[in-house]
Amino acid sequence: MSATSEPQIEDESSQSIPPPYSEAVDKTTILRTPGPARNGRIFYDIPGERSIRFSFRPQPLVDNYLQPWFGQMDVKCDDVPLLMREGFYWTTANIIKEEGFVENINPQQINLGHPNNPCTIKRYWFLQDLQQPPRWTASLQIHAPNYDVISKVRFENWSINMIRSVEAWGLSKKTIYSFSALTPKCCISIYDDMPLKGWWPWPKEAKA
């Protein structure tokens, strides 16, 4: 990675909706039939630990104390470099609604939000690659201070600029990708400056 290379995150107007999944989806894509409410078994039943973690903030330039909610996505994937080379894409089509749920949380354990308005509710969404066999499965968690806030979170409105940090690990839990919007000069990728597509926030193709 070049010492002077800095993350190039696409402007919010060009990323007002998630990146198109059509670039990664082909004839192997399947349509799911709704099933029972399994409370995330599609993610938890997969052996192993997470290999990618995304951290989201709905207002990228606002301090954590003033954020209305906080997002975190844990991804299980056997081949993270493949997602780096081909692009990591997801949209609302990847959400398996029947797997999701909401639970109360102890604000002292989570320690998110303003001290006078801590997070007490957590909503889970579960996502999976639409190709067969699926290359990844993810647990997306939204922490919020109350039901009113969490009920208004709409995944289809998310943008790549909401990503605060990303960490990815290899099979031995060694870091292979690291991005932080707070320290843009300290990002690293095993593919150095090779542009990454989809929801990877860095590096991106230089704009003409």
Side-chain angles (χ1 to χ4, degrees):
M1 180 182 67
S2 171
T4 60
S5 175
E6 294 188 13
Q8 297 184 22
I9 302 179
E10 298 172 22
D11 62 79
E12 191 169 357
S13 62
S14 65
Q15 285 293 329
S16 60
I17 59 175
Y21 199 79
S22 58
E23 294 184 30
V25 174
D26 56 23
K27 62 183 179 182
T28 62
T29 299
I30 62 167
L31 296 177
R32 294 191 182 91
T33 300
R38 303 195 319 141
N39 298 148
R41 295 314 334 159
I42 195 168
F43 178 82
Y44 299 125
D45 287 349
I46 295 176
E49 301 178 359
R50 66 177 184 264
S51 50
I52 312 173
R53 167 166 282 183
F54 284 79
S55 174
F56 299 91
R57 300 292 183 269
Q59 299 177 13
L61 302 180
V62 174
D63 186 85
N64 272 356
Y65 279 164
L66 301 177
Q67 296 287 341
W69 53 264
F70 303 83
Q72 174 181 300
M73 187 164 80
D74 296 324
V75 183
K76 291 183 178 181
C77 175
D78 291 333
D79 192 347
V80 177
L82 177 64
L83 295 184
M84 296 173 70
R85 295 191 304 271
E86 297 187 358
F88 190 9
Y89 298 85
W90 68 78
T91 70
T92 54
N94 296 93
I95 297 177
I96 307 171
K97 295 182 180 296
E98 294 76 23
E99 294 282 340
F101 60 92
V102 178
E103 66 178 2
N104 297 323
I105 54 178
N106 184 341
Q108 294 180 342
Q109 293 178 337
I110 299 300
N111 195 29
L112 287 174
H114 194 283
N116 295 327
N117 191 27
C119 293
T120 62
I121 303 295
K122 183 190 289 191
R123 179 176 182 179
Y124 289 80
W125 279 313
F126 294 90
L127 300 82
Q128 191 174 61
D129 187 15
L130 295 180
Q131 300 186 74
Q132 287 296 308
R135 299 178 297 179
W136 58 269
T137 304
S139 168
L140 176 59
Q141 306 124 50
I142 306 300
H143 304 81
N146 52 60
Y147 277 96
D148 181 59
V149 170
I150 212 166
S151 67
K152 294 179 173 61
V153 177
R154 292 294 180 267
F155 185 71
E156 57 267 26
N157 297 325
W158 288 28
S159 73
I160 201 169
N161 288 318
M162 293 166 57
I163 297 174
R164 179 63 61 92
S165 65
V166 184
E167 291 284 334
W169 304 272
L171 298 181
S172 297
K173 300 305 293 179
K174 307 298 184 183
T175 300
I176 62 175
Y177 179 91
S178 179
F179 165 84
S180 172
L182 300 179
T183 56
K185 293 184 179 181
C186 298
C187 302
I188 191 168
S189 165
I190 58 171
Y191 292 118
D192 298 314
D193 294 322
M194 182 183 80
L196 304 183
K197 297 179 180 180
W199 282 93
W200 296 108
W202 171 90
K204 289 299 187 185
E205 292 277 4
K207 291 187 176 181

